[in-house]
């Protein structure tokens, strides 16, 4: 029997399966108790554990998933997926939690990379957002342990969202050693290398990824240094704006000077045979002696904005 239409916790109605992987299955669902229409659509993740639900190690792992999902709800960062609820049904035999999260329209970084690597500035922008979510998680004692393209969502308006909190452990035992914040940074290095191309292009981003992937030692950067390096990559590789044309000090950008004579945009200056250089033609519009020379007819200065988190 399929799970479509199943009601969880008396409020979350499963609609369609959105994706499935080694760590579990994600469903698109409706929160039937939501007050605002914008809050009705949610994602529900069902973790997956190997082994026998009757074994003690399995039950310990299921309880740990529940604790970690509840703790991950404290992570407050724009790039960290918002966890709304954790539901454990008493009638369930396996004891696994259903993790209710915000629904993020878009696609995963894994899906994007199937079409090819992204440009270094975009890889650095994504890395900055993921690092911000990781630092927020580490600040409240949460270690992600599953930083990979499948758990990075690229939403609307350039939003980057790290998901997958509380679902990294697939084995029934306790967390293995080496899975602290340093391991998250190493996984970030692997994410950067994969996003920009493996091997990554020469330059500061490739060098940073290699340093993150290096073994423990003085050459491995900490989170603060990684933040500064990624910000530098985004800033240095951002296209420079076109040079603005010269203008008088009192002319505002994007505004035609009020010192130009009245003339239609397609009207050209007088070039009759009687118009001698340096001599005002009797067909030329009246102009005060101290006015500036005419600019190109009908031309306005373009204003460019930089890219976008």
């Amino acid at each position: 029997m399929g799970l479509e239409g199943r009601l969880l916790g008396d409020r979350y109605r499963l609609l369609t399966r959105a994706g499935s992987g080694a760590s579990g299955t994600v469903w698109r669902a409706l929160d039937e108790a939501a007050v605002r229409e914008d809050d009705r659509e949610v994602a529900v993740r069902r973790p997956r554990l190997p082994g026998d639900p009757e074994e003690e190690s399995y039950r310990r792992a299921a309880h740990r998933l529940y604790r970690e999902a509840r703790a991950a709800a404290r992570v407050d960062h724009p790039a960290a997926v918002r966890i709304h609820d954790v539901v454990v049904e008493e009638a369930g035999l396996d004891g696994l939690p259903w993790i209710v999260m915000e629904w993020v329209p878009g696609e995963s970084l894994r899906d994007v990379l199937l079409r090819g690597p992204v440009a270094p500035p975009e890889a650095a922008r994504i890395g900055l957002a993921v690092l911000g979510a990781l630092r927020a998680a580490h600040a409240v004692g949460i270690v992600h342990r599953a930083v990979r393209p499948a758990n990075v969502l690229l939403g609307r308006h350039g939003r980057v969202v790290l998901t997958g909190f509380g679902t990294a452990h697939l084995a029934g035992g306790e967390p293995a050693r080496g899975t602290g914040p340093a391991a998250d940074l190493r996984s970030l290095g692997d994410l950067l290398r994969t996003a920009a191309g493996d091997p990554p292009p020469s330059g500061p981003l490739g060098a940073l990824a290699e340093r993150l992937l290096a073994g423990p030692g003085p050459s491995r950067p900490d989170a603060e240094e990684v933040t500064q390096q990624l910000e530098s990559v985004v800033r240095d590789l951002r296209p420079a704006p076109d040079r603005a044309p010269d203008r008088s000090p009192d002319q505002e950008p994007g505004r035609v000077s009020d010192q130009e004579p009245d003339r239609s945009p397609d009207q050209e200056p007088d070039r009759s045979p009687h118009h001698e250089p340096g001599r005002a033609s009797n067909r030329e519009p009246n102009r005060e002696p101290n006015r500036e020379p005419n600019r190109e007819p009908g031309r306005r200065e373009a204003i460019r904005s930089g890219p976008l988190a």
Side-chain angles (χ1 to χ4, degrees):
M1 180 179 176
L3 297 178
E4 292 87 350
R6 181 173 177 177
L7 189 65
L8 304 174
D10 295 327
R11 66 181 295 178
Y12 306 109
R13 180 82 60 182
L14 299 183
L15 297 180
T16 57
R17 192 168 70 169
S20 182
S23 61
T25 302
V26 177
W27 293 79
R28 187 173 67 90
L30 283 183
D31 181 359
E32 297 186 348
V35 176
R36 297 196 321 150
E37 185 67 26
D38 292 345
D39 296 333
R40 284 177 57 82
E41 197 169 25
V42 296
V44 179
R45 188 182 190 106
R46 175 68 160 169
R48 182 178 294 117
L49 286 175
D52 186 353
E54 297 297 325
E55 295 178 354
E56 180 63 26
S57 60
Y58 184 100
R59 289 195 292 268
R60 286 201 308 268
H63 184 61
R64 185 175 64 248
L65 284 176
Y66 172 80
R67 293 198 322 268
E68 290 185 354
R70 297 283 296 181
R74 308 198 319 265
V75 180
D76 185 14
H77 191 274
V81 67
R82 293 191 296 271
I83 297 179
H84 300 315
D85 200 357
V86 183
V87 177
V88 176
E89 296 187 305
E90 295 181 0
L93 298 178
D94 54 14
L96 289 176
W98 296 82
I99 304 171
V100 183
M101 306 170 290
E102 64 170 318
W103 176 261
V104 181
E107 58 184 342
S108 71
L109 179 59
R110 179 183 61 184
D111 295 335
V112 171
L113 295 180
L114 292 176
R115 302 191 291 269
V118 300
E122 176 67 2
R125 186 187 73 86
I126 293 171
L128 264 177
V130 171
L131 179 58
L134 290 175
R135 296 185 73 174
H138 297 165
V140 294
I142 304 298
V143 180
H144 191 278
R145 294 185 293 268
V147 181
R148 50 179 175 260
N151 284 333
V152 177
L153 303 179
L154 304 180
R156 296 171 179 169
H157 311 298
R159 188 184 176 203
V160 179
V161 182
L162 179 63
T163 185
F165 286 96
T167 60
H169 293 300
L170 299 181
E174 293 301 316
R177 294 182 179 180
T179 57
D184 277 350
L185 289 181
R186 189 180 191 283
S187 297
L188 177 64
D190 190 55
L191 182 81
L192 292 172
R193 184 174 63 179
T194 303
D198 191 5
S202 59
L205 185 65
L208 176 62
E210 293 304 319
R211 290 180 62 199
L212 285 169
L213 292 170
S219 64
R220 175 181 286 182
D222 59 14
E224 182 62 33
E225 183 180 353
V226 175
T227 300
Q228 295 173 1
Q229 291 288 327
L230 290 175
E231 289 175 344
S232 177
V233 171
V234 173
R235 182 173 59 251
D236 292 345
L237 297 180
R238 183 176 297 165
D242 293 338
R243 181 181 177 183
D246 295 332
R247 61 175 181 265
S248 61
D250 58 346
Q251 183 177 348
E252 298 178 4
R255 178 179 176 184
V256 177
S257 172
D258 57 3
Q259 295 181 353
E260 292 187 1
D262 294 331
R263 188 170 65 200
S264 63
D266 57 349
Q267 181 180 349
E268 294 292 332
D270 183 32
R271 292 294 183 266
S272 67
H274 305 289
H275 185 85
E276 297 178 7
R279 178 179 176 182
S281 169
N282 56 4
R283 296 176 59 186
E284 206 171 353
N286 292 331
R287 186 169 59 197
E288 294 181 9
N290 295 330
R291 292 293 177 93
E292 286 187 41
N294 292 334
R295 303 179 184 277
E296 293 180 31
R299 181 174 178 179
R300 294 175 182 265
E301 180 178 304
I303 305 299
R304 298 185 60 186
S305 60
L308 176 67

